[in-house]
Amino acid sequence: MLKDRNSSAIVAVSDIDRARVFYEEVLGLTLVPGQDEKEVLGFRTGDTRLTVYRSDFAGTNKANAVTWEMKGDLVETVKALKGRGVTFEHYPDMGLTLNGDIHEAGPARLVWFKDPDGNILHLVEGM
């Protein structure tokens, strides 16, 4: 039924203007033309779209909100994001090797960081 359908992520934020700056300027996402309503933003991300909307429940999710598949550029992306003020999460109890800000498990390399509302964003490579 849904196996041949595209999916997209949606993230709740408390301040739409602050979120726009973070997702556009820090993460470098492109706002989809016509997708900048008063309380909803749509960003292009690869072949899909990320919707960011204002909600009183922003930041209450304690699990991954969005995951991006990296294509051999995880180290460079982490360095660039760190240069833009992003702080990475470290999870020492997951049984992964932590190399700087990058968690490693065999060929898989993973990083987590949060947006200004505490939504957990995840980059993964080699899985």
Side-chain angles (χ1 to χ4, degrees):
M1 181 173 14
L2 297 177
K3 68 178 184 166
D4 296 323
R5 304 286 187 239
N6 292 330
S7 63
S8 63
I10 185 166
V11 176
V13 299
S14 61
D15 182 323
I16 202 75
D17 294 325
R18 179 179 69 182
R20 182 176 184 158
V21 169
F22 178 79
Y23 285 92
E24 256 187 321
E25 296 179 16
V26 176
L27 300 188
L29 301 182
T30 302
L31 193 62
V32 175
Q35 294 290 306
D36 56 345
E37 300 171 21
K38 182 177 180 182
E39 294 196 356
V40 179
L41 302 171
F43 294 97
R44 183 169 294 110
T45 173
D47 293 330
T48 60
R49 188 174 75 176
L50 170 63
T51 300
V52 175
Y53 71 102
R54 204 213 64 74
S55 170
D56 292 335
F57 300 102
T60 60
N61 180 5
K62 301 302 177 200
N64 291 346
V66 181
T67 300
W68 281 272
E69 178 184 355
M70 305 307 292
K71 297 180 179 181
D73 58 349
L74 180 71
V75 172
E76 296 81 8
T77 301
V78 167
K79 185 177 179 181
L81 289 172
K82 198 168 197 167
R84 293 179 180 190
V86 170
T87 302
F88 292 91
E89 302 295 306
H90 297 161
Y91 300 112
D93 297 332
M94 290 182 65
L96 304 174
T97 300
L98 185 60
N99 184 1
D101 290 312
I102 300 174
H103 294 76
E104 298 175 339
R109 299 190 305 170
L110 314 104
V111 297
W112 290 268
F113 59 98
K114 294 180 180 177
D115 76 358
D117 284 291
N119 292 303
I120 300 170
L121 309 178
H122 182 145
L123 308 179
V124 60
E125 183 173 80
M127 292 193 71

